[in-house]
Amino acid sequence: MLPPVAPPAAVVVFTNTGVKAFIDITMSFLRRRKGVDSSKSSNFVGSKIEDGDEKKKLFESPGKDGYSSQKSSCWDSCCWFIGFVCSMWWLLLLLYNTMPASIPQYVTEVITGPLTDSPGVKLRKEGLTVNHPVVFVPGIVTGGLELWEGHQCAEGLFRKRLWGGTFGELYKRPLCWAQHMSLDNETGLDPPGIRVRPVSGLVAADYFAAGYFVWAVLIANLAQIGYEEKTMYMAAYDWRLSFQNTEVRDQTLSRMKSNIELMVATNGGKKVVVIPHSMGVLYFLHFMKWVEAPAPMGGGGGSDWCAKHIKAVMNIGGPFLGVPKSVSGLFSVEARDIAVARAFAPGFLDKDVFGLQTFQHLMRITRTWDSTMSMIPKGGDTIWGGLDWSPEGESFNCGAKRLKNNTINNMVQNANINLADNVKSVNYGRIISFGKDVAEAHSSKIKRVDFQQDAVNSVKLPNSTTNCDIWIEYHEIGNHRIKAVADYKVYTAGSILDLLHFVAPKLMARGGAHFSHGIADDLDDPKYQHYKYWSNPLETKLPNAPDMEIYSMYGVGIPTERAYVYKLNSGTDCSIPFQIDTSAEGGSEDSCLKGGVFSADGDETVPVLSAGFMCAKGWRGKTRFNPSGIRTYIREYSHAPPANLLEGRGTQSGAHVDIMGNFALIEDVLRVAAGATGKELGGDHVYSDIFKWAARINLQL
């Protein structure tokens, strides 16, 4: 039986402490309600409320003659309503987990019709069985992290999860949690007295939190055709570190090499099928260069190691060329959803909430995670577009309704191939624009001031933020230089790195030693043997393994963040000075500008351009990036949302994480693990215009 699927858009997190707190709050409300309804005096939190007492009016609604009727206040009613909803949720969850498994299945079948077989059951009936060993490489944030050594505030948390699971410590001791989840701001490694390490085994990333699967559904389907732990390996790593530092500190790359060699040796010499997801795609790209490079920088496996040990690399949701979302995350700790929440409650997340100034703490924590630099857009304006052009500018209808059946999508694909022809062209090349008018104007109409030169010529003013509770790097810049950033108006992929060097100098100084974001002129130049280039597919060669296959598998049909409209934050001096301008709207239902975010086609996190370009063009055939001609395939999965709540997160989702439960993707993975080739799968399976966009990019191959 497959793992249970949580209701959409909800992650249920609860602990014993949380249950006790819920009971205490409920009893408090019951006591208060009794005190309100009684015509006599009653106790409320230890205080006696007599008739005529001023406090009594707090729980009364004025009638015609003043406070003559005793009704609950709006606040009291709201609390009762929230308590009722929570109680019903807990009750339903309890019933769901205690009733026989056949009952929910029966109810679902009554409503939706007979359930289809899972991919594992379907392929087992076809006679497919365990064949090639499988290696999973999780992405950023989806792998669990546990505490091995900490400060006094973390007493009692030895080997307890700080990341993943219930996240209980985040609620109970948020400042302590933030301190232990941060890395050293100078070295990018452990701070003194703190050791947080990745959880090991399949449980490291099967579920992100209670009921929210990541790898669990895929693992369960593999088990249905005979796989078990000896033929499956989760290559867990500390996703906060730079890729090379996972080897320096934990020898993670060496352990991955040893485990793959062991799996090949103990399974009759059968090569492994590697399945990386999200940032794990970049991590494994780094591994393939590391394992063949000579020691001490590399693993010393020799130039034929990949050819001997890897059958296929099935990349899921791979940000090969980076994601614009990483820019907004580093610049203002925002993405679309956070920006909307910030606009809904202005200033709330900048203030002290539960003892935690949310945005400032998030920025301080995440800017110690060097791995985030791996996802800054690569290739500059050549790949992502410039001031007045972008490869995918006019080809996505952001207002199109998503169909709920991929079979229907297949039928209408050719008929609707020009569906977006009437959509207004969007220049996605301007990843950050200060103002909607700037985002839409021709570059010749934009007056810009070089923020770096202006900053050099300016005198640094005294810092007015020295009394801020939470220090962030913006406090070192000064108001004049912050204004200079906004006066530059527009930033493309080619100038984003300069911007981040200006506003996040410590992160960029550390990360610059581990990551690179350019395009190599000559891949035979000895400098590209350094590990800082190994995770950039535009600055490294694939291994010499002509029999290996590389797949790029990702969802399409979901508006995905591609560019942003920003404004200066009018908050206090201690606030983050920039924020997405959620008032910037495109003006029509089909517009790709909504809430200050320009959207393009993708899986909600990674744009199609980043996920598909290398397999569509950069690595297609024999190129300078793929000298041995490794075969590449693109497998796109058109997003179809669940038809009802009983489907949970759906079995045809193309969303970045939910795609891990997509039956079509799981079937493709199982067939390749059982021995099929890309040609036997049917080759490329494409819905988007990735080949057209790739053709527009002038890249030397």
Side-chain angles (χ1 to χ4, degrees), residues 455-468:
V456 169
N457 294 335
S458 67
V459 177
K460 186 173 180 180
L461 301 176
N463 194 348
S464 61
T465 61
T466 53
N467 294 323
C468 295

Side-chain angles (χ1 to χ4, degrees), residues 523 537-538 540-543 613-630 632 699-701:
L523 286 168
L538 300 174
T540 191
K541 298 178 184 178
L542 288 177
F613 175 80
M614 292 309 297
C615 283
K617 183 173 182 177
W619 291 333
R620 183 61 57 122
K622 285 191 177 183
T623 71
R624 66 190 183 108
F625 305 107
N626 181 17
S628 68
I630 294 173
T632 62
L699 179 68
Q700 177 190 350
L701 298 177

Side-chain angles (χ1 to χ4, degrees), residues 25-339:
I25 292 170
T26 304
M27 294 304 297
S28 173
F29 282 136
L30 288 172
R31 289 193 296 269
R32 174 161 52 171
R33 186 76 177 185
K34 182 178 179 181
V36 170
D37 291 340
S38 175
S39 59
K40 299 179 180 181
S41 61
S42 60
N43 263 349
F44 177 65
V45 195
S47 298
K48 191 174 182 181
I49 304 178
E50 302 291 346
D51 290 342
D53 194 317
E54 193 68 27
K55 293 181 181 178
K56 185 176 180 182
K57 297 180 181 179
L58 293 173
F59 304 100
E60 296 175 340
S61 299
K64 293 181 180 179
D65 299 324
Y67 292 92
S68 58
S69 61
Q70 296 189 7
K71 297 180 180 179
S72 297
S73 66
C74 176
W75 171 251
D76 196 32
S77 300
C78 289
C79 289
W80 273 93
F81 176 73
I82 294 171
F84 174 78
V85 172
C86 290
S87 298
M88 289 300 99
W89 175 254
W90 289 104
L91 178 60
L92 290 172
L93 192 65
L94 176 65
L95 290 174
Y96 180 82
N97 283 283
T98 55
M99 70 175 62
S102 59
I103 294 179
Q105 180 176 337
Y106 172 77
V107 174
T108 302
E109 289 184 352
V110 168
I111 296 175
T112 65
L115 299 178
T116 58
D117 286 337
S118 67
V121 171
K122 173 186 173 182
L123 298 183
R124 185 177 62 198
K125 290 178 180 178
E126 293 181 14
L128 270 68
T129 185
V130 57
N131 192 353
H132 294 273
V134 171
V135 177
F136 309 116
V137 187
I140 192 169
V141 309
T142 55
L145 300 174
E146 60 188 18
L147 183 69
W148 281 78
E149 179 185 3
H151 294 163
Q152 186 174 359
C153 67
E155 185 177 355
L157 297 182
F158 176 67
R159 294 204 65 197
K160 298 290 181 63
R161 288 201 184 195
L162 294 186
W163 188 271
T166 65
F167 286 92
E169 301 312 315
L170 172 59
Y171 309 130
K172 290 188 287 186
R173 24 189 159 182
L175 293 177
C176 184
W177 177 89
Q179 182 184 30
H180 286 74
M181 281 300 297
S182 300
L183 294 170
D184 188 276
N185 208 25
E186 301 295 333
T187 65
L189 296 168
D190 293 322
I194 293 176
R195 283 186 294 148
V196 174
R197 296 293 182 264
V199 177
S200 60
L202 295 178
V203 297
D206 54 353
Y207 288 91
F208 174 65
Y212 192 90
F213 71 82
V214 182
W215 294 91
V217 177
L218 177 57
I219 291 171
N221 275 276
L222 283 163
Q224 288 171 340
I225 63 170
Y227 280 84
E228 50 190 289
E229 282 213 73
K230 67 181 181 181
T231 48
M232 292 189 287
Y233 165 60
M234 182 72 72
Y237 60 99
D238 190 336
W239 43 261
R240 302 171 302 162
L241 298 173
S242 69
F243 301 160
Q244 192 68 9
N245 272 345
T246 64
E247 174 66 16
V248 170
R249 196 194 72 179
D250 300 333
Q251 293 75 54
T252 305
L253 299 174
S254 293
R255 286 187 285 121
M256 191 190 307
K257 175 177 179 283
S258 298
N259 275 284
I260 291 175
E261 290 171 344
L262 178 63
M263 293 175 82
V264 172
T266 56
N267 284 277
K270 294 176 181 176
K271 302 176 186 178
V272 299
V273 172
V274 184
I275 311 169
H277 173 244
S278 190
M279 192 184 76
V281 168
L282 303 178
Y283 187 69
F284 194 74
L285 191 63
H286 180 98
F287 170 83
M288 287 194 294
K289 294 299 294 184
W290 173 88
V291 74
E292 294 189 344
M297 186 181 296
S303 60
D304 60 350
W305 191 94
C306 290
K308 289 179 177 179
H309 294 87
I310 302 174
K311 165 186 163 50
V313 184
M314 307 191 76
N315 302 290
I316 303 175
F320 287 105
L321 302 179
V323 288
K325 185 182 283 190
S326 68
V327 175
S328 64
L330 292 172
F331 191 53
S332 63
V333 206
E334 286 182 294
R336 188 203 325 265
D337 296 338
I338 294 176

